[in-house]
Amino acid sequence: MDTTLTDEQLVHYSRHILLPHMDTEGQERLLSSCVAIVGLGGLGASAAYYLAASGVGELRLIDHDCVERSNLQRQIIHNDETVGLNKAVSAKRTLEKLNPTITIDALDQKFTETSAPALLEGVDLIVDCCDNFATRFLINASSVKYGLPLVSAAAIQMEAQISLFDPREKESPCYRCLYQEVDETPLSCSESGVLAPLVGIIGSMQALEAIKLLANIGSPLQGALLLFDALHTEWRRLTLKRDPACPTCSSRC
């Protein structure tokens, strides 16, 4: 794929190119990248928007759910006309209007151990925007298995968290180092609610971390967990260590 910026792209991404950290080199790295976004709900909506607008060359949108009216309170990539439509397909319609120059694949599929190899083929980075632990553990296992960086986040009620896991780095922890298997049913937005802008904030930060890593700029959020309390507008940063006994990544060299 030719990633040399055209005159039109130089204008489109000019505010990026003006940044000394980014310049044309960083923008061309984005253009040559492929990102898989698992879950096109509240987090995925904002993450996908900014990754598309920023010029990631290929976005692979993965979601087997359909748009419901209650989603429209926070999932800004969908609209009244796409209620009942598959979320990945709905998101693609929106993103193609935002940036028709990139490749956007809408995959109406569930992320499973069986489907993962095909879904992640050719991908450079995974953005986990799903809403359950079982899928998060599967995504993390795939991240470790295929050596793919993973930007993971979650939000519920008035609280959220985000981290980046990079199995290419020897000392990087994985998601399973942070969380063991969860027996109890976790809270869900449908049962507990979530403040609409909260998922926008965290989803945008997922896009930020993905862009930084792909463009090779700044310091990624590797080995750290950011916790956000929206009710009191407070951030906390925790250091994460790799678990030598982790069942997912302990055997990694």
Side-chain angles (χ1 to χ4, degrees), residues 117-129:
L119 293 175
L120 298 179
E121 184 178 359
V123 164
D124 298 298
L125 179 144
I126 310 169
V127 180
D128 176 7
C129 301

Side-chain angles (χ1 to χ4, degrees), residues 137-156:
F137 286 135
L138 280 172
I139 293 170
N140 175 69
S142 296
S143 163
V144 173
K145 182 177 181 179
Y146 301 116
L148 298 174
L150 168 64
V151 183
S152 180
I156 193 73

Side-chain angles (χ1 to χ4, degrees), residues 219-247:
S219 301
L221 195 60
Q222 179 185 315
L225 177 71
L226 280 185
L227 303 173
F228 181 51
D229 178 351
L231 189 61
H232 301 99
T233 319
E234 294 178 348
W235 290 94
R236 284 195 300 155
R237 184 184 177 110
L238 306 179
T239 299
L240 301 179
K241 298 293 185 180
R242 186 177 176 189
D243 180 0
C246 174

Side-chain angles (χ1 to χ4, degrees), residues 1-2 7-8 57 73 76 104 128 143 175 205 207 213 236:
M1 177 181 179
D2 184 9
D7 289 343
E8 183 179 357
Q73 164 253 10
I76 58 173
I104 302 171
D128 176 7
S143 163
Y175 184 83
M205 290 194 67
L213 195 70
R236 284 195 300 155

